[in-house]
Amino acid sequence: MNRILMTVCLVVLLTAIIQSTSEAQHDRPQEISSMPYEWKNVQIVGGGFVDGIIFHPTARGVCYCRTDMGGAYRRNPETMRWEPLLDWLSYDDANLMGVESIALDPSDPDRVYLACGTYTNDRTPNGAVLRSHDRGRTFRRTDVPFKMGANENGRGNGERMAVDPYDGNIIYLGTRKAGLWKSTDGGISWSCVETFPDIAENPPSHIHNEDSLRFWQWFNQGCGIVFVIFDSHSGSADKACSVIYAGVSLLDRNNLFCSTDAGQTWNPVYGQPTQYRPTHAVLASDGTLYQTYGSSPGPSRMRDGAVWKYNTNNKEWTEITPDTPDTAAGEAFGYAAVSVDSQNPRALIVSSYGRWDSAGGEDIFRSTDGGRTWTTIFGGGGTFDYSLAPYTERTSIHWLFDIEIDPGDPDHAMFTTGFGGYETFNLTDADAGKPTTWSVMSTGIEETVALELLSPPKGAHLISAIGDYGGFVHWNLDKPSAEGNFDNPRFGNTNSVACAENNPDIIVRVGMATNYNRGKNIGYSTNGGITWQPAASLPHPESRLGHIAVSADGKTWIWSPDPVRRGFFPGSTSKPMPVYYTHGSGITWAECQGIPDNTRVIADRVNPERFYGIDLFSGKLFISTNGGASFSEKEMNLPGGLPQSKLNRGDWRGGQDRIYAAPGKEGDLWIAAFDGLFHSTDTGETFIKSESVQEIHAFGFGKGLTENDYSSLYLIGIVNGIRGIFRSDDMAKHWIHINDDQHQWGMLFHITGDPKIHGRVYVGTHGRGILYGDPVK
């Protein structure tokens, strides 16, 4: 008997040891495996502000462009696609995804320089200059002791950086707030040009409070040195240029400076116009310096502007403005950019900015006699081909802050706009009174900002919610949506989109309607996104943006609109908004009871009566079992304690610090906190922490290994000390690293797997569009 008892005890003890070991192994961080993925952009084409185009002056087909927060691109002259150059930038270097300026070495077409940095505020790191000797295939980096503002006012001005055409080691870089800088070793090191004039700009005397100061700084203040130009006639094969021009975004004071001793001293150019701020300049082969001006740097509103030319030979200034705004009639516009035909110094084009329909519409003006007479390009019968990006047909051209005539082909010209750009191959037809044809030139550029991603259980591969251009239904990931972006209603920003898990033909989206759809801030589809219609009503006249949840059967929607903000700047007030529900497609709405204002709510993926919300930092879980009419509150006990709300927890637009409901499992919840991943299978009674996960920026689900397996998990963050994109096929026990150092894309906001294809994942970026990845076969 004692022997039997001892045997039983031994078995129990061994079982306990094995179980304890198993649990310890589950809780302990596991080794990370990796899997190669093939990554492609979901094709939207453009979707953001391309603010600069740079042709090499002599090497035909060598062309680059820069964006305000989506990196830089080189155009492949064979495929006519733009190829991204900065996808290797990590989260820690996301600030460098904004490119302030690009410079090419006129004597070596393989050399390219990028001045990088997105913002100049105190919270943002200093910028860097990236240099490449192989046309951007690889880069070396020099950190600089100042900030750049590639996504600030004046970002379309330029170019701020230039390389001496005879000595490629000499590079000048104009900054916003730190003056003029120079490199004499090909961008390896930089020093401040101490002899350059003081260009500090103080606020006007009538500004007495912080809000008005911020308004002036953002909308009216200049943006530093906006262009540097070498006069190639002042140098030779064995001597660097002695004459250099620098334009500064100053108003009512000297704003064009010249050095005649290779940058040692600088003086204002005599007789210059000072009533505007310079925006662009180009030096023609005959010595004529053409300049465009506006009352502000743009894209803040310009009240006035002009075009002037300066004869560097006889030192004479001449105004050549093609169309002067009639301010008495309420017209207010300026001029954004200028380009000159390298083969004909009297042939040029300039672009307007802010010239709305009442003044004739935004246009490009063309002159073949040095600006003495002008014709309009679009007003003269220009036509547009939108086929490469169908959504652009719904959006008028705007923000033409760079226009360029190809130095190797005077018939080929490009201009930038807020969603990419256009090009023509028959520019000179305008000189004979014939129409020009413009087509989308942005193929390869993907600059959208993803605000939410939905891959429904059936139907389209992906439905995207993006900033500025609403979003798309992506039936074919490799082609732009033929029907364009969301319509009826059309949004600027779409902040949230959701479908009914068990009836995915029902899709609901919320955002901010455009002027033509004012007040229609929620739309829905009953056929999987083929057609849309606005909801019958809003729960409150100011309901907009926020987050939408749709019950598993599609009959209940719960909307948590954004707070209503009063004022533009930090410190402005906001009014909280209740959480609302409807059982009738928005015909009537009622406030959800028992849940705090502005709480993000999600639907259970199985039970149509269940919804969830959290107050993460107070440890509260809110549960509705009656279709959102009321919520009960439950204490949420997370292993290791509750996170601290005052810490830096990533960008607020990302997918961290949220609750997620697992597909196919009622009451199965995941909390993707910025600093940890927690899982509950009992509707929040208990949570288990994944010890492998240290940081999260986005989280989502995709199809499991088989039809019967638990959904695969996808995560952007840090796992076992490694930053990247990860997949788990076993409920977070083990993680697979699925991206590499060449595919990082700076800052990432959202991720979701595809519930129809195991292994496929969609990643939403901050300015590099939406990527999709599949395992390499």
Side-chain angles (χ1 to χ4, degrees):
M1 188 71 179
N2 289 339
R3 186 175 296 172
I4 294 173
L5 182 60
M6 289 177 62
T7 301
V8 171
C9 290
L10 183 60
V11 170
V12 171
L13 179 60
L14 288 172
T15 301
I17 292 172
I18 292 170
Q19 183 176 351
S20 174
T21 302
S22 176
E23 289 176 355
Q25 288 175 345
H26 175 70
D27 291 339
R28 257 201 329 262
Q30 304 291 314
E31 272 195 42
I32 298 293
S33 61
S34 62
M35 178 180 292
Y37 260 60
E38 180 183 14
W39 295 95
K40 298 180 182 179
N41 267 110
V42 176
Q43 291 299 297
I44 292 174
V45 179
F49 186 21
V50 175
D51 45 11
I53 301 168
I54 303 89
F55 281 100
H56 192 275
T58 59
R60 187 161 182 169
V62 178
C63 182
Y64 297 80
C65 74
R66 58 184 172 90
T67 71
D68 50 8
M69 59 183 192
Y73 294 80
R74 181 188 63 248
R75 201 176 205 190
N76 185 324
E78 296 180 1
T79 64
M80 300 300 280
R81 293 182 64 92
W82 296 92
E83 298 175 349
L85 302 181
L86 299 182
D87 287 356
W88 51 271
L89 285 173
S90 69
Y91 172 78
D92 291 334
D93 286 324
N95 175 51
L96 303 185
M97 288 294 284
V99 181
E100 182 92 287
S101 188
I102 295 179
L104 306 183
D105 186 340
S107 62
D108 185 349
D110 290 337
R111 292 179 180 250
V112 56
Y113 301 88
L114 276 58
C116 299
T118 310
Y119 297 108
T120 60
N121 60 53
D122 294 338
R123 303 181 302 277
T124 303
N126 286 336
V129 175
L130 306 179
R131 61 191 188 277
S132 173
H133 295 172
D134 55 12
R135 304 194 183 189
R137 292 176 179 85
T138 61
F139 282 96
R140 294 184 178 181
R141 167 178 175 169
T142 296
D143 292 330
V144 292
F146 50 81
K147 301 175 190 295
M148 303 189 205
N151 196 31
E152 294 184 353
N153 209 26
R155 56 194 182 272
N157 299 169
E159 286 296 311
R160 300 170 187 265
M161 184 165 54
V163 182
D164 190 299
Y166 296 107
D167 185 346
N169 286 318
I170 297 176
I171 311 170
Y172 280 86
L173 171 60
T175 73
R176 290 173 176 266
K177 299 180 179 181
L180 183 65
W181 288 68
K182 179 181 181 180
S183 174
T184 57
D185 54 12
I188 297 172
S189 62
W190 295 83
S191 60
C192 184
V193 180
E194 301 292 349
T195 58
F196 195 78
D198 179 13
I199 57 171
E201 187 175 17
N202 297 317
S205 58
H206 66 270
I207 293 178
H208 300 295
N209 60 64
E210 185 176 354
D211 273 0
S212 58
L213 175 62
R214 286 177 181 269
F215 187 92
W216 175 79
Q217 289 172 334
W218 188 256
F219 293 107
N220 296 322
Q221 185 179 22
C223 55
I225 300 170
V226 295
F227 62 78
V228 175
I229 297 175
F230 289 92
D231 184 348
S232 61
H233 293 98
S234 68
S236 62
D238 57 357
K239 181 174 74 73
C241 292
S242 59
V243 177
I244 312 166
Y245 295 92
V248 187
S249 182
L250 293 172
L251 188 68
D252 295 329
R253 53 190 278 203
N254 288 321
N255 52 44
L256 179 64
F257 299 89
C258 179
S259 173
T260 57
D261 53 12
Q264 295 183 51
T265 61
W266 296 82
N267 293 290
V269 175
Y270 177 76
Q272 63 181 279
T274 61
Q275 64 268 40
Y276 317 104
R277 301 182 189 276
T279 54
H280 262 267
V282 62
L283 184 60
S285 58
D286 66 352
T288 302
L289 182 68
Y290 293 96
Q291 280 191 244
T292 51
Y293 295 87
S295 57
S296 85
S300 59
R301 186 71 188 271
M302 290 183 185
R303 301 182 306 275
D304 202 353
V307 183
W308 287 70
K309 67 179 182 180
Y310 174 62
N311 187 322
T312 63
N313 300 309
N314 62 19
K315 314 304 181 187
E316 289 185 358
W317 285 92
T318 306
E319 183 177 4
I320 55 171
T321 306
D323 182 24
T324 301
D326 184 351
T327 55
E331 294 180 2
F333 61 88
Y335 287 87
V338 57
S339 182
V340 175
D341 185 343
S342 65
Q343 302 173 31
N344 179 0
R346 294 177 60 79
L348 68 152
I349 51 176
V350 299
S351 57
S352 64
Y353 174 63
R355 187 173 179 262
W356 309 132
D357 291 344
S358 60
E362 212 74 280
D363 217 324
I364 291 175
F365 298 86
R366 167 83 170 170
S367 176
T368 57
D369 54 12
R372 188 170 61 86
T373 61
W374 298 88
T375 58
T376 59
I377 294 296
F378 307 137
T383 60
F384 289 89
D385 177 1
Y386 308 102
S387 58
L388 294 178
Y391 76 94
T392 60
E393 187 171 5
R394 295 174 178 162
T395 304
S396 60
I397 58 171
H398 59 283
W399 293 14
L400 283 71
F401 274 93
D402 199 6
I403 54 175
E404 296 292 338
I405 301 174
D406 187 338
D409 181 0
D411 269 318
H412 182 212
M414 295 186 190
F415 70 83
T416 68
T417 188
F419 48 77
Y422 289 89
E423 64 185 338
T424 183
F425 291 92
N426 69 330
L427 177 64
T428 61
D429 280 0
D431 304 338
K434 299 177 182 178
T436 53
T437 301
W438 298 80
S439 58
V440 171
M441 65 80 168
S442 319
T443 300
I445 297 172
E446 295 291 342
E447 204 191 344
T448 55
V449 175
L451 301 178
E452 195 155 79
L453 302 175
L454 169 66
S455 184
K458 74 168 190 176
H461 292 292
L462 179 71
I463 301 173
S464 59
I466 65 171
D468 293 338
Y469 298 101
F472 298 81
V473 180
H474 303 277
W475 301 97
N476 185 334
L477 301 175
D478 298 321
K479 293 183 179 180
S481 298
E483 63 273 18
N485 49 352
F486 296 145
D487 202 10
N488 192 35
R490 191 188 315 172
F491 295 163
N493 281 14
T494 300
N495 276 34
S496 183
V497 59
C499 73
E501 186 76 10
N502 298 330
N503 186 11
D505 283 340
I506 298 176
I507 306 169
V508 188
R509 55 186 171 90
V510 293
M512 172 69 82
T514 60
N515 291 336
Y516 302 107
N517 298 269
R518 185 65 66 197
K520 299 177 181 179
N521 296 328
I522 179 170
Y524 70 101
S525 174
T526 58
N527 54 15
I530 297 173
T531 59
W532 298 88
Q533 56 189 309
S537 67
L538 299 180
H540 184 279
E542 295 181 293
S543 294
R544 59 185 183 179
L545 304 170
H547 182 79
I548 192 72
V550 179
S551 63
D553 62 4
K555 296 179 180 178
T556 301
W557 310 343
I558 297 185
W559 188 6
S560 309
D562 271 4
V564 178
R565 191 169 180 175
R566 310 296 187 192
F568 184 80
F569 298 103
S572 57
T573 61
S574 61
K575 180 180 73 174
M577 292 291 283
V579 180
Y580 300 95
Y581 73 97
T582 179
H583 293 320
S585 301
I587 295 174
T588 60
W589 296 85
E591 290 187 23
C592 300
Q593 302 300 310
I595 189 167
D597 293 348
N598 301 121
T599 301
R600 178 181 179 272
V601 173
I602 63 167
D604 191 277
R605 309 285 281 269
V606 176
N607 187 336
E609 296 296 315
R610 283 184 171 269
F611 292 86
Y612 310 99
I614 58 169
D615 182 341
L616 180 61
F617 305 113
S618 297
K620 305 294 184 184
L621 173 64
F622 304 96
I623 302 173
S624 175
T625 58
N626 57 5
S630 62
F631 284 78
S632 60
E633 180 183 305
K634 176 185 292 189
E635 290 291 329
M636 192 169 58
N637 297 309
L638 300 181
L642 298 176
Q644 300 298 308
S645 63
K646 294 183 179 179
L647 300 177
N648 177 17
R649 304 189 64 82
D651 193 287
W652 62 271
R653 295 165 292 183
Q656 74 280 5
D657 290 342
R658 295 185 177 188
I659 185 171
Y660 295 82
K665 304 286 183 181
E666 182 176 350
D668 193 308
L669 305 175
W670 293 79
I671 294 178
F674 175 77
D675 43 15
L677 179 63
F678 305 88
H679 182 210
S680 173
T681 58
D682 53 12
T683 319
E685 293 291 337
T686 58
F687 283 92
I688 296 173
K689 183 177 183 181
S690 172
E691 297 297 337
S692 300
V693 179
Q694 289 90 46
E695 187 174 299
I696 299 176
H697 293 267
F699 181 79
F701 305 94
K703 184 179 180 180
L705 283 169
T706 71
E707 296 293 339
N708 298 322
D709 281 321
Y710 194 93
S711 296
S712 293
L713 310 179
Y714 292 89
L715 180 150
I716 298 170
I718 298 176
V719 177
N720 281 359
I722 299 172
R723 184 178 293 282
I725 303 173
F726 301 90
R727 188 185 90 209
S728 175
D729 295 324
D730 57 6
M731 299 172 63
K733 295 182 181 68
H734 301 85
W735 292 93
I736 305 167
H737 190 193
I738 61 174
N739 72 314
D740 55 50
D741 289 348
Q742 294 303 309
H743 299 90
Q744 300 192 73
W745 308 291
M747 187 181 296
L748 308 178
F749 281 168
H750 294 284
I751 192 168
T752 184
D754 192 313
K756 303 176 284 293
I757 304 172
H758 175 256
R760 175 168 290 176
V761 62
Y762 305 97
V763 174
T765 74
H766 179 252
R768 258 295 281 128
I770 301 167
L771 287 302
Y772 78 96
D774 288 307
V776 175
K777 296 179 181 179

